[in-house]
Amino acid sequence: MLTINKLNFSYGDMQVLWNIDLAVHEGEIVTVVGANGSGKSTTLKNISRLVAPQSGNIDFQGENINSLESHQVVERGLVQVPEGRKIFPEMTVLENLRMGSFIKSARPTREANVERVFTMFPRLKERQKQLGGTMSGGEQQMLAIARGLMTNPKLLLLDEPSLGLSPLFVKIIFEIIQEINKQGVTILLVEQNVFQSLKISDRAYVLETGRIVLSGTGSELLSNDHVKKAFLGM
Ligand SMILES: Nc1ncnc2c1ncn2[C@@H]1O[C@H](COP(=O)(O)OP(=O)(O)OP(=O)(O)O)[C@@H](O)[C@H]1O
Ligand SMILES: [Mg+2]
């Protein structure tokens, strides 16, 4: 579904991604784990076309998307939920959700999608009239994911969805990611919560200072000595 070949990327003259090869097959949950500053968010930004690579290819569903703009990849079903939530604080929960259906192809299914995400996130339904900015951190994270679903994504990119959440919310978020995946959405996840994310992942990649140093199935990486030492404190 998504194939990245020899992706190189620099901010100015600072190269931060080196020859990244990465694939996501339809139906999978794939995770990229790595320390702070290793290039996880930058990788997602290259995929969702928020930044442009220096070299290398990014293909989505057989089409090279290197030269597309970010709204064009959203129209093709490739949607990123950004790090740090970025909901509209002055709009209600319901207005935030409706804003998610900004692309033409998502408008006919807008109200059906509101119902769908309210079923998935009962708390958003209860708080639909509340201003986004007054929701708790975990609730805003749910809202950001729910808003991403309003565009009918085929591939959802999630940047650290569990960041800053209490253990209970972390558990809920990981259950929801699995539920979204069961409903037919392929997931590319970036996470610091290495244990939880590897547990739910079909496959995963380890990124270190801009290079992929390991890849394998979630369970292979969970039992890998390097992963255990570097990320699991074992
Ligand atoms: N806009 C920018 N301009 C210059 N350098 C940047 C910019 N954004 C990120 N970087 C640098 O690129 C490198 C990779 O950053 P990136 O945000 O991709 O890391 P990350 O793996 O997502 O980290 P974190 O876990 O802290 O979110 C870092 O060294 C960072 O300082
Ligand atoms: Mg990041």
Side-chain angles (χ1 to χ4, degrees):
M1 183 176 227
L2 179 78
T3 314
I4 301 178
N5 265 313
K6 301 257 171 300
L7 171 69
N8 286 284
F9 176 80
S10 313
Y11 289 109
D13 54 11
M14 247 269 285
Q15 183 156 0
V16 295
L17 297 179
W18 305 78
N19 286 322
I20 302 290
D21 288 328
L22 185 152
V24 182
H25 307 122
E26 188 162 1
E28 283 188 317
I29 299 179
V30 173
T31 301
V32 177
V33 299
N36 292 124
S38 58
K40 305 181 297 296
S41 298
T42 304
T43 301
L44 294 190
K45 283 178 192 159
N46 273 275
I47 300 169
S48 59
R49 315 300 313 134
L50 297 172
V51 297
Q54 262 68 50
S55 65
N57 275 319
I58 307 174
D59 291 352
F60 179 60
Q61 298 193 304
E63 178 189 15
N64 184 292
I65 60 168
N66 278 47
S67 55
L68 297 185
E69 311 221 356
S70 56
H71 70 94
Q72 294 177 304
V73 296
V74 174
E75 278 157 13
R76 283 160 176 73
L78 202 171
V79 176
Q80 177 169 4
V81 175
E83 182 181 27
R85 298 162 192 135
K86 301 212 171 75
I87 51 125
F88 302 112
E90 302 299 331
M91 288 186 183
T92 67
V93 167
L94 185 59
E95 286 163 351
N96 265 279
L97 290 175
R98 288 190 171 143
M99 285 295 287
S101 296
F102 63 97
I103 58 165
K104 216 172 178 185
S105 62
R107 274 177 227 151
T109 50
R110 189 175 74 178
E111 295 313 306
N113 276 335
V114 168
E115 287 313 310
R116 175 176 163 228
V117 300
F118 278 167
T119 307
M120 206 179 278
F121 302 90
R123 194 179 293 228
L124 295 184
K125 184 173 188 175
E126 288 161 22
R127 295 174 176 270
Q128 56 182 289
K129 296 201 178 99
Q130 189 172 328
L131 291 183
T134 65
M135 302 275 281
S136 79
E139 289 166 350
Q140 289 189 32
Q141 185 56 28
M142 287 181 180
L143 179 55
I145 296 172
R147 196 179 56 184
L149 292 173
M150 294 296 293
T151 48
N152 299 320
K154 294 180 185 131
L155 173 62
L156 193 63
L157 311 179
L158 294 167
D159 195 346
E160 308 218 23
S162 80
L163 188 70
L165 303 187
S166 68
L168 176 64
F169 266 86
V170 171
K171 187 165 171 282
I172 293 172
I173 289 288
F174 278 100
E175 282 168 5
I176 282 169
I177 293 168
Q178 287 179 289
E179 172 62 27
I180 293 168
N181 179 248
K182 282 204 190 90
Q183 292 185 10
V185 182
T186 305
I187 309 269
L188 178 58
L189 178 67
V190 156
E191 261 295 339
Q192 308 233 2
N193 197 323
V194 174
F195 181 68
Q196 296 271 6
S197 54
L198 290 182
K199 252 176 46 181
I200 68 161
S201 294
D202 296 296
R203 291 183 309 105
Y205 295 85
V206 178
L207 197 56
E208 275 176 18
T209 53
R211 293 175 177 83
I212 304 267
V213 294
L214 265 178
S215 63
T217 65
S219 50
E220 278 166 4
L221 291 191
L222 269 177
S223 55
N224 178 281
D225 282 339
H226 179 70
V227 172
K228 281 188 190 168
K229 265 203 209 94
F231 300 109
L232 302 173
M234 291 159 78

